[in-house]
């Protein structure tokens, strides 16, 4: 039995996509005939899906400068059409015309035809988009396979969800060509292009750190300079504090992170969220790894932290106890003890520490 490809009803158009210079008059006749039936819309949709429609129109404008693809009029031509130079346009056009010649209908939706590339989710090699909050976004795929979107306005990933559960490609109900732009639109349900999206919760430092970690966005925290605060006088805990800013949807927050040495991590907190620090035991692994790689080296290089550590050790050796919040008299007593028992170089180093002179200058 013969398996040859049946002749195409549009040989000159196919020849333009596969060969060289076309017969402009005959190609125009074919386009005019095609525009009277469904094949024309199918070709334009196929070209639009792959982002080739603008190139197709530009190539036609050479011969038909007044052409409106929505109301096609292909005769008479003003001058001959030029050979097509773009390989992508030629491949997409030829594949569509070949399918038409074979009588192949548009294939039914099959989730197995989803693939993931470096630029996001694709269906039959065509980029997939999701409509969230009235805007069309490229659908991306996390390392765990979860679907998400991103925004230039903030640094969190938005996770596509249904009933508050993250979704994977197999959860997409279908795809539909967009009427105006390239790529497929993902269907959340029959006839529904609108998707729910969650960026996480930001009501506590722990939840915010979890959202940042899930988005693999620790590297987007803009850390400022690190410094020692004066709380060590009460706590006897050397502490290097660093503030960083992070962009949330419609809000930029300031995150504080403590480290106590080049190996010991402290708590994290959010400015204006007093009294609800997130301790290290509750850190997401990605956040802790980021602190270790980014902020612990600062502790190792901090001369102030080394000086504070020396004074804390000396006070502990002399029976002073760590206190959550020592009373002013007790704090003054600790500074006075250091001034009375340390050499002049240490006294000068003590006074040079951040905030010490401001709080205890009268004792020097």
């Amino acid at each position: 039995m013969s398996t040859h490809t049946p002749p195409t009803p549009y040989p000159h158009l196919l020849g333009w996509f596969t060969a060289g210079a076309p017969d402009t008059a005959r190609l125009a006749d074919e386009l005019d005939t095609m525009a009277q039936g469904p094949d024309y819309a199918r070709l334009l949709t196929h070209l639009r899906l792959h982002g080739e429609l603008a190139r197709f129109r530009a190539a036609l404008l050479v011969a038909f400068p007044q052409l409106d693809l929505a109301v096609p009029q292909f005769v008479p031509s003003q001058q001959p059409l030029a050979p097509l130079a773009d390989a992508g346009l030629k491949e997409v056009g030829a594949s569509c015309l070949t399918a038409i010649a074979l009588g192949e209908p548009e294939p039914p939706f099959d989730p197995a035809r989803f693939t993931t590339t470096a630029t996001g989710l694709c269906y039959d090699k065509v980029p997939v988009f999701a409509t969230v909050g009235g805007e069309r976004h490229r659908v991306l795929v996390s390392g765990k396979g979860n679907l998400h979107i991103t925004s230039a306005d903030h640094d969190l990933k938005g996770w596509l969800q249904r009933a508050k559960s993250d979704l994977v490609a197999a959860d997409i109900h279908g795809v539909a060509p967009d009427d105006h732009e390239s790529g497929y639109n993902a269907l959340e349900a029959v006839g529904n292009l609108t998707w729910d999206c969650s960026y996480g919760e930001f009501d506590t430092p722990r939840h915010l750190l979890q959202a940042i970690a899930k988005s693999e966005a620790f590297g987007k925290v803009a850390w400022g300079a690190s410094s020692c605060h004066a709380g060590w006088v009460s706590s006897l805990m050397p502490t290097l504090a660093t503030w960083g800013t992070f962009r949330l949807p419609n809000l930029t927050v300031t995150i504080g992170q403590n480290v106590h040495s080049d190996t010991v991590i402290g708590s994290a907190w959010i400015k204006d969220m007093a009294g609800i620090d997130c301790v290290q035991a509750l850190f997401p692994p990605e956040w802790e790894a980021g602190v270790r790689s980014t902020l612990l080296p600062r502790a190792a290089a901090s001369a102030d932290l080394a000086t504070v550590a020396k004074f804390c050790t000396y006070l502990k050796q002399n029976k002073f106890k760590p206190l959550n919040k020592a009373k002013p008299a007790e704090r003054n007593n600790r500074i006075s003890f250091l001034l009375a028992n340390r050499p002049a170089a240490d006294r000068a180093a003590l006074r040079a520490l951040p905030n010490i002179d401001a709080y205890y200058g009268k004792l020097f």
Side-chain angles (χ1 to χ4, degrees), residues 21 49 53 65 102 105 107-108 153 158 165 183 210 225 236 265 362:
L49 273 175
L53 186 60
L102 292 170
D153 298 327
S165 295
Q210 288 172 338
L236 301 186
I265 298 174
K362 63 183 181 181

Side-chain angles (χ1 to χ4, degrees), residues 4 31 152 197 239 270 296:
H4 74 280
L31 284 170
C197 173
T239 302
I270 309 299
L296 290 187

Side-chain angles (χ1 to χ4, degrees), residues 4-5 7 75 92-93 99 144 171 230 326 340 351 355:
H4 74 280
T5 300
V75 290
V92 172
K144 296 181 179 180
D171 295 313
R351 189 167 194 173
N355 299 313

